[in-house]
Amino acid sequence: MEILFENLPNPFAYFFPLFVVLILAELYISYREDKELYEAKDTVASTWVGIGAAILNSLTKVYQIGFFFLIYKLFEPLRVEFLGYESLGWAWWVWVLCLVGDDFNFYWHHRFCHTVRLFWAAHVVHHSSDKFNLGTAFRNGWTIFLYKPIYWIWLPALGFNPVMLALCMSFNSIYQFFLHSTLVPDIKGFNKVFNTPWVHQVHHACNVEYLDRNHGGIFIIWDRLFGTYQNREHHIAPKFGVLHPPHSHNPIKLNFHEFSDIWKDVKRAKTWEHKFKYVFYPPGWSPDGSTKTARQMQQELERQQAAVPATAAPNRREEAMA
């Protein structure tokens, strides 16, 4: 079975009407029940960011798939010589493996977007809203498409057809749209394996306890395996957004404000080592500790909690629920 590149289907075209209906339904529920899930300026900002991301994604799609085809063909002789096949083909189990492999790649790509400041600069726009709704799903960075394919090159090298890989990446993105809602309750058991809206609220929260957690796309098993899973605790309500918000609804500033901040820090740094660390160390790193990374803040919180006598634990929970 061969699918020609020029006839590559776009799954988003089939799901877009459903996306619109669900956003309108969430808007109606928010208005009817006075939940304040949406705010006009924030929604307009998400719309413009989403439109820009969609255009850039379309423009870079050819580059991405072309890059995958290049890797696919370059490694074909090695596959024949050492693995005994030219391609893995189109069997159903190959689709399953490709989908799982794609999500594994997404986990590490996403995790590094939170732990390497340069990549965070490209990703922060997705977290910059203090609202968590289905519209936020379209709030994607405009520069992230330039380096994202690097994480996926081992799949075409192994013989997964680039068209199959592109479709699996699209299916992953479509699934993640449904994660951005507070209206879906905790689905017991399901979130043992799969990512859910309840679990994804943690990822979008800027509470210290929730920072840099739950990076999976379709599956949450990667976070459980690699130590980044955090359940959404009923007594810790998520505060959505980022610790240092851009205080703007301008889509240009939303996409590039962190790059600007990096540049300012690099210019101010006194040594080349500090310049390097401002770019490639986790967000919040500073040589004098004046600003802290998520891990440093979590370690401080753990020390504070450990210093509180056990008898005071119920009071801490009551304060958190207040």
Side-chain angles (χ1 to χ4, degrees):
M1 174 183 177
E2 283 294 334
I3 300 178
L4 297 178
F5 174 72
E6 58 267 24
N7 295 324
L8 177 64
N10 182 6
F12 284 98
Y14 300 98
F15 280 88
F16 187 75
L18 177 61
F19 294 162
V20 173
V21 169
L22 290 176
I23 290 174
L24 292 175
E26 191 177 50
L27 270 167
Y28 172 72
I29 294 172
S30 175
Y31 172 76
R32 186 190 64 189
E33 300 184 8
D34 197 25
K35 290 182 175 291
E36 298 184 351
L37 299 178
Y38 287 81
E39 191 272 327
K41 290 183 178 180
D42 181 80
T43 302
V44 171
S46 293
T47 301
W48 281 113
V49 170
I51 290 173
I55 293 173
L56 289 169
N57 187 33
S58 298
L59 293 175
T60 58
K61 183 67 71 177
V62 174
Y63 139 71
Q64 291 182 33
I65 299 179
F67 176 65
F68 291 151
F69 263 112
L70 176 63
I71 300 298
Y72 181 72
K73 289 298 183 181
L74 281 176
F75 280 82
E76 188 174 281
L78 293 176
R79 291 196 300 272
V80 172
E81 181 176 355
F82 295 104
L83 300 177
Y85 62 84
E86 291 185 3
S87 170
L88 287 171
W90 298 87
W92 67 268
W93 58 268
V94 180
W95 281 94
V96 173
L97 289 178
C98 189
L99 193 66
V100 173
D102 165 66
D103 202 65
F104 176 80
N105 296 335
F106 178 83
Y107 168 84
W108 285 107
H109 151 70
H110 199 185
R111 182 169 176 174
F112 283 126
C113 280
H114 283 256
T115 55
V116 176
R117 192 180 179 194
L118 180 63
F119 299 157
W120 171 245
H123 180 60
V124 64
V125 61
H126 185 64
H127 289 263
S128 58
S129 173
D130 59 4
K131 301 293 183 182
F132 185 72
N133 52 52
L134 292 173
T136 308
F138 296 114
R139 200 177 177 112
N140 294 314
W142 293 354
T143 58
I144 208 163
F145 308 108
L146 298 176
Y147 66 88
K148 183 178 178 180
I150 295 173
Y151 294 87
W152 274 257
I153 59 176
W154 66 275
L155 285 171
L158 277 181
F160 290 94
N161 190 287
V163 172
M164 176 187 289
L165 178 55
L167 289 173
C168 286
M169 293 174 74
S170 295
F171 296 149
N172 198 318
S173 297
I174 290 168
Y175 181 89
Q176 289 185 53
F177 167 82
F178 301 99
L179 299 177
H180 297 80
S181 179
T182 58
L183 300 181
V184 182
D186 186 12
I187 307 172
K188 298 295 185 182
F190 192 76
N191 60 13
K192 296 292 184 182
V193 177
F194 296 97
N195 203 355
T196 66
W198 180 263
V199 170
H200 200 58
Q201 288 180 48
V202 169
H203 182 72
H204 274 261
C206 60
N207 311 58
V208 173
E209 298 92 336
Y210 291 159
L211 292 175
D212 293 351
R213 294 291 186 262
N214 301 352
H215 301 295
I218 296 175
F219 301 105
I220 205 67
I221 52 175
W222 313 121
D223 290 282
R224 294 182 180 276
L225 284 172
F226 300 117
T228 53
Y229 178 76
Q230 172 63 54
N231 192 39
R232 156 75 155 88
E233 303 292 349
H234 288 274
H235 63 281
I236 305 177
K239 179 183 178 183
F240 300 117
V242 291
L243 292 175
H244 304 288
H247 301 294
S248 174
H249 296 295
N250 183 318
I252 303 296
K253 185 171 183 179
L254 289 174
N255 271 281
F256 297 102
H257 71 94
E258 183 65 13
F259 288 108
S260 176
D261 289 344
I262 291 176
W263 177 241
K264 292 175 184 176
D265 287 336
V266 168
K267 287 197 301 182
R268 188 169 57 247
K270 297 180 180 180
T271 68
W272 284 103
E273 178 187 358
H274 291 169
K275 292 178 187 294
F276 176 87
K277 290 181 177 180
Y278 269 126
V279 176
F280 295 104
Y281 268 40
W285 178 87
S286 62
D288 58 0
S290 57
T291 58
K292 300 183 184 301
T293 66
R295 186 61 193 136
Q296 288 172 330
M297 287 186 284
Q298 288 165 347
Q299 288 172 342
E300 283 188 358
L301 180 62
E302 290 168 3
R303 287 194 293 267
Q304 292 170 7
Q305 292 175 340
V308 177
T311 55
N315 294 331
R316 292 205 311 272
R317 177 165 293 194
E318 290 171 6
E319 292 172 0
M321 294 177 66

